[in-house]
Amino acid sequence: MARSLYEWLWQHEFWLPPGITWEDMQESEDTHYPQPRDLLLSIPFALILVVIRYAFERAVALPLSNKLGVRDKQRPKAEPNPVLETFYSTHRKNPKEGELLNLAKKCDLPVRKVEKWFRHRRNMDRPSMSKKFSEACWRFTFYVISFFTGLAVLYDKPWLWDHRECWTGYPQQPLQPSLFWYYMLELSFYWSLVFTLPFDVKRKDFKEQIVHHAATIFLISFSYCANYIRIGTLVMVIHDASDCFLEPTKIFNYMKWKKTCDSLFMIFSAVFLISRLVIYPYTVLYNTYYYSMEIFQPFFGYYFVNVLLIILQLLHVFWSCLIIRMVYKFICQGTMEKDMRSDTEESDKDEERDKIREKEKNGMTYFSNVTSNGYIQRNGSKPLDNRAHLANGHAKER
């Protein structure tokens, strides 16, 4: 059964244009084509990248964050409470009103203290500023290396300048060693992101990130197996261009260098919108959808790779809407809106309200209350009439 599935999966009708079979893709001493088994190398390479990342964050990023003044916020810890901890870990992190009442009865605590416990407990699970800084440093380092590696690999390739060259001789396009290692670098990195996804900083677009990583891995893998190497290299270098500006924007934001952060964000926004909404559709989508038809007729691989490319474009549109909204807020209000993808920490305003309530309960604060007879002063003096008499005998309304 496994052999039948294997033979069905690797039918040349799925992967190759009409008239081309796997026999036409046989390698020789001087000619090498992409082999699906090569993709297995990306798994150990991804694990190596995870180890390198761990060492980089501990040896470089964390000491750098301390020198640059990135400090973790001191968060009050939630007091040990087995009942609340069990509910937090097995049910939900933000209980509803009825659940708060039941938990308060079980623990013999005021509802306000139960709310406070859950607020502190949620904040304990949120990543520290140094972790965010370290993660941004690692991604910035990789994206810079990857982007310039892509430029170095592609600058002398004809399809970078003439997009029709992506299909010249397809699919019998020999695999060059530089293209192989560039592919392995990118594929291994995205596998490493999948491996570390449960431990990385979780943002509001967590589900979109999963879709993005899955689509990217499938796209890179399928493009390699079907020898869409040339179009795949264009996709990767276009994506890395804007990411090189996103991560330093985050770094300066964590450092609280507001002007530098705002300037970099505007540059990132321009590069992202141009590369993802202009260059990508023309260089990749239009190229793959129309120019390829000058060489061969549509087949399964043609439709499949176009679907994956369109999924990436839909994600580009989603993120572009968020970026445009932030740019609009910056232009109109002069302040940069917080990253709408971030899971922001709950403020201590509720904590301050709790303290005010405690003080009110203990009689430590006084408030000015308006009564029908006049004002009540805080110092305990007699209420004043709402009409003040001047020296000349005339009355003046307060």
Side-chain angles (χ1 to χ4, degrees):
M1 182 176 179
R3 182 174 180 80
S4 299
L5 179 62
Y6 178 84
E7 292 177 352
W8 175 84
L9 178 63
W10 293 107
Q11 295 182 67
H12 60 82
E13 292 86 354
F14 291 166
W15 300 88
L16 302 174
I20 304 294
T21 64
W22 291 117
E23 285 73 18
D24 299 320
M25 302 292 294
Q26 293 296 325
E27 294 185 334
S28 64
E29 293 183 1
D30 300 327
T31 304
H32 299 279
Y33 294 111
Q35 299 296 326
R37 62 177 178 270
D38 298 340
L39 298 176
L40 297 176
L41 293 174
S42 63
I43 302 299
F45 288 162
L47 297 176
I48 292 174
L49 282 179
V50 172
V51 174
I52 294 174
R53 172 183 173 177
Y54 181 83
F56 175 85
E57 290 183 352
R58 296 299 181 276
V60 178
L62 281 178
L64 184 62
S65 67
N66 293 329
K67 290 184 178 181
L68 295 177
V70 179
R71 297 289 183 266
D72 294 334
K73 185 176 180 180
Q74 297 296 326
R75 300 165 178 165
K77 295 183 179 181
E79 297 179 358
N81 190 308
V83 175
L84 300 182
E85 185 65 36
T86 301
F87 184 92
Y88 182 87
S89 58
T90 59
H91 291 78
R92 69 179 80 227
K93 298 180 179 181
N94 197 354
K96 299 179 180 179
E97 184 177 354
E99 294 170 334
L100 285 172
L101 293 174
N102 292 333
L103 290 171
K105 291 180 180 179
K106 289 182 179 179
C107 300
D108 194 22
L109 293 172
V111 176
R112 179 170 49 82
K113 288 190 175 182
V114 176
E115 291 176 335
K116 178 180 176 182
W117 188 93
F118 276 96
R119 185 170 62 251
H120 289 173
R121 186 65 181 84
R122 288 192 296 269
N123 283 338
M124 288 173 58
D125 283 348
R126 287 185 170 85
S128 63
M129 194 66 69
S130 59
K131 177 176 174 58
K132 294 180 181 180
F133 181 91
S134 300
E135 183 177 317
C137 282
W138 163 250
R139 296 197 182 196
F140 170 66
T141 302
F142 177 84
Y143 286 135
V144 169
I145 294 174
S146 178
F147 177 67
F148 284 102
T149 299
L151 291 181
V153 169
L154 295 177
Y155 84 97
D156 61 343
K157 303 300 186 295
W159 63 86
L160 179 64
W161 314 106
D162 183 2
H163 305 322
R164 280 185 169 88
E165 288 292 327
C166 288
W167 312 109
T168 301
Y170 179 83
Q172 295 169 307
Q173 297 171 338
L175 176 63
Q176 301 176 18
S178 60
L179 298 177
F180 168 79
W181 288 111
Y182 181 44
Y183 248 74
M184 287 298 106
L185 177 67
E186 291 279 353
L187 183 58
S188 300
F189 175 70
Y190 282 102
W191 271 120
S192 71
L193 292 183
V194 172
F195 295 158
T196 60
L197 200 59
F199 313 102
D200 289 342
V201 176
K202 289 183 175 59
R203 304 183 185 276
K204 292 182 180 179
D205 64 344
F206 180 76
K207 294 180 180 179
E208 288 80 6
Q209 280 185 321
I210 296 177
V211 175
H212 174 269
H213 296 341
T216 302
I217 290 173
F218 277 122
L219 179 59
I220 294 176
S221 301
F222 180 81
S223 65
Y224 186 85
C225 293
N227 205 12
Y228 284 108
I229 298 293
R230 297 184 179 184
I231 199 69
T233 54
L234 295 178
V235 173
M236 292 186 293
V237 77
I238 289 173
H239 279 71
D240 289 341
S242 59
D243 292 332
C244 290
F245 293 97
L246 174 60
E247 300 306 326
T249 302
K250 297 178 182 178
I251 291 172
F252 284 107
N253 179 46
Y254 302 145
M255 293 167 56
K256 302 187 183 301
W257 290 24
K258 187 177 184 304
K259 292 184 178 180
T260 305
C261 174
D262 293 347
S263 301
L264 280 174
F265 180 79
M266 297 303 292
I267 297 174
F268 158 74
S269 301
V271 174
F272 185 95
L273 296 176
I274 293 173
S275 63
R276 305 292 180 94
L277 300 185
V278 179
I279 297 177
Y280 177 84
Y282 173 72
T283 304
V284 177
L285 292 182
Y286 186 82
N287 185 9
T288 306
Y289 190 77
Y290 288 104
Y291 289 164
S292 61
M293 292 297 95
E294 298 176 358
I295 308 298
F296 53 79
Q297 296 299 315
F299 64 106
F300 175 79
Y302 164 81
Y303 293 113
F304 188 69
V305 76
N306 275 283
V307 167
L308 292 176
L309 292 172
I310 290 174
I311 290 175
L312 284 181
Q313 182 60 19
L314 293 176
L315 290 170
H316 296 163
V317 173
F318 170 78
W319 283 312
S320 296
C321 292
L322 298 182
I323 292 172
I324 292 172
R325 178 180 170 184
M326 296 176 71
V327 172
Y328 175 79
K329 297 278 285 186
F330 176 74
I331 294 175
C332 294
Q333 300 181 4
T335 57
M336 185 66 66
E337 186 180 15
K338 291 183 179 180
D339 188 354
M340 289 172 287
R341 303 179 305 140
S342 300
D343 185 15
T344 55
E345 183 170 344
E346 296 178 66
S347 65
D348 293 331
K349 291 182 179 178
D350 294 333
E351 182 77 17
E352 294 173 1
R353 294 193 192 101
D354 293 340
K355 293 180 180 179
I356 291 175
R357 289 172 184 169
E358 288 291 338
K359 291 180 180 179
E360 289 176 349
K361 183 177 179 181
N362 297 330
M364 296 174 63
T365 60
Y366 301 89
F367 294 91
S368 298
N369 298 320
V370 180
T371 64
S372 59
N373 295 327
Y375 294 99
I376 299 178
Q377 293 182 323
R378 292 187 181 182
N379 58 9
S381 60
K382 295 180 180 180
L384 300 175
D385 185 35
N386 63 345
R387 296 168 62 88
H389 295 275
L390 302 179
N392 58 8
H394 294 285
K396 180 178 178 181
E397 295 289 342
R398 287 189 179 269

